[in-house]
């Protein structure tokens, strides 16, 4: 280094002698330094399995809240879009089908980024005057509702198509309008025929919530990753997260089958 920047080789004897002048300032073991507060402080994060469970329970609550809210809203949205895709109005039908094609044809991860970095940012900056009203949870809920709603729409559309044409004709002979026929005769049968598929969409939804950690929402998978970084154990935290997912999905699956 000395030759590169100074242009000459250093005199080793002079260099060592100059270092010796500073020897008295170099701390040694025998001087007995006291440990600092930082050295004495122990991490309070994920030190034992009890703390793990506490953190995983908090993550499971976020996962459940997000999953249940999304399932309810996506069912409503999917029903509207599904009915629209079978509408006699060509504009409504094309718009509904276009929504399904676009949403199902793009990855959920991309939709999460658009919701968080795009829609939420514009909403907070320009509509809310710089106040953060739509955070990570709101953005995740929006993306999941839009995504799951498209799959539910296809399920509802299939359920409507499964109802026999005679049901429509019988309702028409009674003087019922199309909307009344859908509400009283077709949709109840369509939902009954679609229960299994809608239940499967809920299972997929719960597993899809594992992606929302990319927008800083601390759900089950994000919790497992944090514990892995803190403890250096890459295997066990994800096994615990998998058990939590299995319990949640099994319970929800049984509820749907009731």
């Amino acid at each position: 280094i000395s030759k590169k920047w100074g242009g000459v080789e250093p005199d080793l004897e002079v260099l060592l002698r100059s270092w010796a002048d500073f020897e008295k300032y170099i701390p040694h073991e025998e001087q007995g330094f006291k440990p600092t507060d930082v050295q004495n402080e122990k991490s309070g994060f994920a030190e034992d399995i009890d703390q793990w469970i506490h953190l995983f329970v908090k993550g499971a609550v976020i996962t459940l809240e997000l999953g249940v809210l999304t399932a309810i809203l996506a069912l409503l949205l999917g029903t509207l879009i599904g009915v629209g895709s079978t509408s006699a109005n060509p504009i409504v039908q094309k718009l509904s089908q276009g929504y399904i094609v676009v949403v199902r044809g793009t990855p959920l991860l991309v939709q999460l980024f658009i919701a968080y970095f795009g829609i939420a940012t514009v909403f907070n900056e320009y509509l809310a005057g710089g106040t953060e009203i739509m955070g990570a949870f709101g953005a995740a809920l929006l993306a999941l509702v839009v995504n799951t709603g498209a799959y539910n729409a296809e399920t509802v559309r299939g359920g409507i198509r499964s109802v026999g044409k005679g049901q429509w004709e019988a309702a028409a002979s009674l003087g019922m309008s199309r909307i009344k026929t859908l509400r009283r005769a077709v949709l109840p049968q369509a939902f009954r025929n679609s229960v299994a598929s809608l239940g499967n969409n809920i299972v997929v939804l719960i597993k899809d919530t594992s992606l929302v950690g990319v927008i800083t929402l601390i759900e089950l998978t994000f919790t497992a990753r944090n514990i892995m970084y803190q403890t250096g154990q890459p295997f066990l935290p994800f096994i615990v997260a998998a058990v939590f997912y299995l319990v949640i999905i099994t319970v929800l699956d049984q509820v749907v089958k009731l």
Side-chain angles (χ1 to χ4, degrees), residues 156-226:
V156 171
R157 185 189 67 81
I160 292 174
R161 296 297 187 192
S162 69
V163 177
K165 188 178 180 180
Q167 300 284 338
W168 293 91
E169 294 174 348
S173 67
L174 294 174
M176 297 174 63
S177 65
R178 178 180 175 83
I179 295 177
K180 187 175 291 187
T181 302
L182 278 169
R183 183 166 54 88
R184 294 189 176 182
V186 176
L187 281 180
Q189 296 178 71
F191 280 122
R192 186 175 65 246
N193 296 338
S194 305
V195 167
S197 296
L198 290 172
N200 183 67
N201 290 348
I202 293 176
V203 170
V204 173
L205 163 65
I206 296 299
K207 291 188 286 187
D208 282 346
T209 60
S210 62
L211 293 175
V212 302
V214 299
I215 58 172
T216 71
L217 195 60
I218 306 177
E219 40 68 56
L220 276 172
T221 301
F222 195 82
T223 299
R225 186 169 56 184
N226 283 345

Side-chain angles (χ1 to χ4, degrees), residues 121-142:
T121 300
V122 170
F123 183 84
N124 293 332
E125 289 293 330
Y126 299 103
L127 300 180
T131 305
E132 185 179 0
I133 295 178
M134 180 182 289
F137 188 91
L141 180 63
L142 174 63

Side-chain angles (χ1 to χ4, degrees), residues 12-23:
L12 187 58
E13 182 179 354
V14 174
L15 185 61
L16 292 175
R17 194 183 311 118
S18 65
W19 283 353
D21 293 338
F22 292 95
E23 183 179 6

Side-chain angles (χ1 to χ4, degrees), residues 92-138:
V92 174
Q93 185 182 87
K94 293 299 181 183
L95 287 175
S96 299
Q97 291 174 351
Y99 167 84
I100 294 171
V101 169
V102 170
V103 174
R104 294 178 68 199
T106 53
L108 174 58
L109 190 61
V110 174
Q111 295 165 11
L112 282 167
F113 286 143
I114 292 174
Y116 185 64
F117 295 109
I119 297 173
T121 300
V122 170
F123 183 84
N124 293 332
E125 289 293 330
Y126 299 103
L127 300 180
T131 305
E132 185 179 0
I133 295 178
M134 180 182 289
F137 188 91

